[in-house]
Amino acid sequence: MIPRLLVVTDRTQASHPLPEVVADAVAAGARAVLLRDKDLPTADRTALARDLRAVLDPVGGLLVWGGAAGAPDGLPVHLSAADPFPAVRPPLLGRSCHSADEVARAAAEGCDWGSLSPYAPTASKPGYGPALGPAGLAALVRGAPPVLALGGVRPGDVADCLAAGAHGIAVMGPAMRAPAVVADYCAALAAASSG
């Protein structure tokens, strides 16, 4: 299952404890969560992953481990652009991409998806870019694995992302700060997919 909407965690932006934020995002329609928070010790991340799975499992949701290190067996993994390819391929594998070379690498590795960022200027990573916008996104999705547009994507941008060739979107800051906004992303994805 390649997600159409991937909620990316960042507990430093979370409006309340991360398991509660994820529960609110799931209540708003999220079904896939990337546990990023790579600064945590592996034992703490593993415990947090158990908490998040307890939220996601009842709705058939997907938990994705961020990074190559320490991934529990059987969990999908999302690699950074710099992470080495894992010795044992996880059941699902994504990779962060920011350029044509990184997209080509993800495709050559057989990644199941790639996130492509930044779509627009973002409050989570100010000054990170340049922003791709619809034209830049469209230029990079050719030959790529299914792409999730990431970075500054607002609900109003979803239709443009899909029209540019993105499979879906990933969202971090807005979902961490106000998880109810996930419902707006879900509605935008449904409207753009049916139109």
Side-chain angles (χ1 to χ4, degrees):
M1 170 184 111
I2 300 167
R4 297 293 307 267
L5 172 63
L6 181 64
V7 172
V8 182
T9 68
D10 180 355
R11 72 190 188 291
T12 67
Q13 295 188 62
S15 57
H16 39 289
L18 196 53
E20 294 174 25
V21 169
V22 169
D24 290 348
V26 166
R31 294 297 180 265
V33 173
L34 167 57
L35 175 55
R36 194 164 166 267
D37 297 282
K38 297 178 196 176
D39 61 313
L40 286 173
T42 300
D44 292 347
R45 280 183 85 203
T46 301
L48 186 54
R50 278 193 302 272
D51 292 343
L52 299 186
R53 285 191 80 159
V55 172
L56 287 160
D57 285 352
V59 297
L62 179 71
L63 180 64
V64 179
W65 184 268
D73 287 343
L75 269 191
V77 169
H78 185 86
L79 302 171
S80 75
D83 281 334
F85 196 83
V88 176
R89 191 189 194 285
L92 287 172
L93 183 65
R95 183 178 284 283
S96 295
C97 302
H98 312 90
S99 68
D101 288 344
E102 291 174 356
V103 167
R105 176 185 180 190
E109 292 173 329
C111 289
D112 297 297
W113 73 83
S115 63
L116 196 50
S117 67
Y119 175 77
T122 172
S124 297
K125 293 186 177 182
Y128 188 66
L132 296 167
L137 184 62
L140 292 175
V141 298
R142 288 188 218 87
V147 165
L148 303 177
L150 170 66
V153 178
R154 299 176 312 263
D157 298 320
V158 169
D160 288 341
C161 289
L162 297 186
H167 171 79
I169 59 145
V171 61
M172 183 174 66
M176 292 294 99
R177 294 186 294 269
V181 76
V182 167
D184 297 334
Y185 286 100
C186 290
L189 279 163
S193 298
S194 67

